[in-house]
Amino acid sequence: MKIQVINGPNLNLLGVREKDIYGTVNLGEIEAEIARLAEQLKCQVRFFQSNHEGEIIDCIHACRSQVDGILINPAAFTHYSYAIRDALAAVELPVVEVHMSNIYQRELFRHQSVTAPVCRGQIAGFGVDSYLLGLRGLVNIINGL
Ligand code: DQA
């Protein structure tokens, strides 16, 4: 089983960026934790991060016939990128959306996710655990559980 993990804009700055909201763990450390869990769950993970909408869309398209599911934190694109939403819908793969913070507890503009409706589920507010819970959920979905 192969899973593509995608992180959107500014997540390369995790660990230095708004630490009160996102904590002190950096993206490399998060990816290492995901890789550790993936090994336990017997799936292969590959990672992609970009600050550019088009690159994220290209990565989603490349997932077609290459992976079994997508774990994505679209970051700010969550709230307004119809293009990423359409790309996720187009590839017809199970997708789980994750957020480190509880977006529903924050500014009003973060309360809407335009991408969640084309995802199988969304996990928000658990910090690094959002990724790990999301991976477990995605693997179960792919396994038909
Ligand atoms: C985020 C929440 C978004 O609103 C924000 O733009 C991010 C990170 C999260 O992981 O909590 O960049 O996706």
Side-chain angles (χ1 to χ4, degrees):
M1 184 193 300
K2 293 189 185 127
I3 309 269
Q4 177 72 57
V5 180
I6 302 175
N7 277 291
N10 302 307
L11 295 172
N12 55 312
L13 293 184
L14 284 174
V16 260
R17 159 192 194 211
E18 300 179 275
K19 289 185 205 157
D20 47 323
I21 297 170
Y22 301 113
T24 53
V25 181
N26 67 41
L27 187 58
E29 290 163 339
I30 292 173
E31 289 178 347
E33 284 211 38
I34 295 170
R36 231 183 340 262
L37 177 62
E39 217 178 299
Q40 282 174 35
L41 299 176
K42 302 200 186 324
C43 64
Q44 286 175 35
V45 272
R46 56 190 210 194
F47 299 103
F48 181 77
Q49 188 277 328
S50 176
N51 297 319
H52 305 278
E53 189 177 29
E55 286 183 2
I56 293 170
I57 292 165
D58 288 343
C59 176
I60 293 167
H61 290 179
C63 288
R64 282 170 61 220
S65 68
Q66 284 192 31
V67 300
D68 303 294
I70 299 174
L71 184 70
I72 186 167
N73 182 347
F77 286 138
T78 305
H79 313 299
Y80 66 93
S81 177
Y82 298 120
I84 289 178
R85 172 197 168 117
D86 284 353
L88 291 171
V91 293
E92 292 181 345
L93 288 167
V95 181
V96 171
E97 175 176 313
V98 300
H99 298 284
M100 303 269 290
S101 63
N102 180 352
I103 54 175
Y104 303 101
Q105 218 170 40
R106 301 180 63 195
E107 302 95 321
L108 262 184
F109 75 87
R110 294 185 206 274
H111 294 190
Q112 190 194 15
S113 169
V114 301
T115 44
V118 297
C119 296
R120 295 290 292 270
Q122 183 202 58
I123 296 179
F126 296 93
V128 182
D129 279 344
S130 290
Y131 288 91
L132 304 178
L133 293 164
L135 181 65
R136 283 185 188 279
L138 182 58
V139 167
N140 282 348
I141 286 168
I142 296 166
N143 282 329
L145 299 174

